[in-house]
Coordinates of all heavy atoms in Angstrom, one line a residue:
S1028 N -10.8 -5.7 12.2 CA -10.3 -5.2 10.9 C -11.3 -5.5 9.8 O -11.6 -4.7 8.9 CB -8.9 -5.7 10.6 OG -8.0 -5.2 11.6
A1091 N -11.0 2.2 5.0 CA -10.8 1.6 6.2 C -9.3 1.4 6.7 O -9.1 1.0 7.8 CB -11.4 0.2 6.2
L1092 N -8.4 1.8 5.8 CA -7.0 1.6 6.1 C -6.5 2.2 7.4 O -5.8 1.5 8.2 CB -6.1 2.1 4.9 CG -4.6 1.8 5.0 CD1 -4.4 0.3 5.1 CD2 -3.9 2.4 3.9
P1093 N -6.9 3.4 7.7 CA -6.4 4.0 9.0 C -6.9 3.2 10.2 O -6.2 3.0 11.2 CB -7.0 5.4 9.0 CG -7.2 5.7 7.6 CD -7.6 4.5 6.9
F1094 N -8.1 2.7 10.1 CA -8.7 1.9 11.2 C -8.1 0.5 11.3 O -7.9 0.0 12.4 CB -10.2 1.8 11.0 CG -10.9 3.1 10.9 CD1 -11.3 3.6 9.7 CD2 -11.2 3.9 12.0 CE1 -11.9 4.9 9.5 CE2 -11.9 5.1 11.9 CZ -12.2 5.6 10.7
I1095 N -7.8 -0.1 10.1 CA -7.1 -1.3 10.1 C -5.7 -1.2 10.7 O -5.2 -2.0 11.5 CB -7.0 -1.9 8.7 CG1 -8.4 -2.2 8.2 CG2 -6.2 -3.2 8.6 CD1 -8.5 -2.7 6.8
L1096 N -5.0 -0.1 10.3 CA -3.7 0.1 10.9 C -3.7 0.3 12.4 O -2.8 0.0 13.1 CB -3.0 1.3 10.2 CG -2.7 1.1 8.7 CD1 -2.2 2.5 8.1 CD2 -1.6 0.1 8.5
S1097 N -4.8 0.9 12.9 CA -4.9 1.1 14.3 C -5.0 -0.2 15.0 O -4.5 -0.4 16.1 CB -6.1 2.0 14.6 OG -7.3 1.3 14.4
Q1098 N -5.6 -1.2 14.4 CA -5.7 -2.6 15.0 C -4.3 -3.3 14.9 O -4.0 -4.0 15.8 CB -6.7 -3.4 14.2 CG -8.2 -2.9 14.4 CD -8.6 -2.7 15.8 OE1 -8.5 -3.7 16.6 NE2 -9.0 -1.5 16.2
V1099 N -3.6 -3.0 13.8 CA -2.2 -3.6 13.7 C -1.4 -3.0 14.9 O -0.6 -3.7 15.5 CB -1.6 -3.2 12.4 CG1 -0.1 -3.7 12.3 CG2 -2.4 -3.9 11.2
W1100 N -1.5 -1.7 15.1 CA -0.7 -1.1 16.1 C -1.1 -1.6 17.5 O -0.3 -1.8 18.4 CB -0.8 0.4 16.1 CG 0.1 1.1 17.0 CD1 -0.1 1.5 18.3 CD2 1.5 1.5 16.7 NE1 1.0 2.0 18.8 CE2 2.0 2.1 17.9 CE3 2.3 1.3 15.6 CZ2 3.3 2.5 18.0 CZ3 3.6 1.8 15.7 CH2 4.1 2.4 16.9
A1101 N -2.4 -1.7 17.7 CA -2.9 -2.2 19.0 C -2.4 -3.6 19.3 O -2.2 -4.0 20.5 CB -4.5 -2.2 19.0
F1118 N 2.2 6.9 13.0 CA 2.3 5.7 12.1 C 1.0 5.5 11.4 O 1.0 5.3 10.2 CB 2.6 4.5 13.0 CG 2.3 3.2 12.3 CD1 3.1 2.7 11.3 CD2 1.2 2.4 12.7 CE1 2.8 1.5 10.6 CE2 0.9 1.2 12.0 CZ 1.7 0.7 11.0
I1119 N -0.1 5.6 12.1 CA -1.5 5.4 11.5 C -1.7 6.5 10.4 O -2.1 6.2 9.3 CB -2.5 5.4 12.6 CG1 -2.3 4.2 13.5 CG2 -3.9 5.3 11.9 CD1 -3.2 4.2 14.7
I1120 N -1.5 7.7 10.8 CA -1.8 8.8 9.9 C -0.8 8.8 8.7 O -1.2 9.0 7.6 CB -1.7 10.2 10.6 CG1 -2.8 10.3 11.7 CG2 -1.9 11.3 9.6 CD1 -2.8 11.5 12.5
G1121 N 0.4 8.6 9.0 CA 1.4 8.6 7.9 C 1.2 7.5 6.9 O 1.3 7.7 5.7
A1122 N 0.9 6.3 7.4 CA 0.7 5.1 6.5 C -0.5 5.4 5.7 O -0.6 5.1 4.5 CB 0.6 3.8 7.3
G1123 N -1.6 5.9 6.3 CA -2.8 6.1 5.6 C -2.7 7.2 4.5 O -3.1 7.0 3.3
E1178 N 4.5 3.5 0.8 CA 4.7 3.1 2.2 C 6.1 2.8 2.6 O 6.4 2.6 3.7 CB 3.9 1.8 2.5 CG 2.4 1.9 2.2 CD 1.6 2.7 3.3 OE1 2.3 3.1 4.3 OE2 0.4 3.0 3.1

Side-chain angles (χ1 to χ4, degrees):
S1028 298
L1092 184 59
F1094 303 100
I1095 295 175
L1096 292 174
S1097 69
Q1098 295 305 305
V1099 174
W1100 189 269
F1118 165 72
I1119 295 171
I1120 295 177
E1178 300 286 353

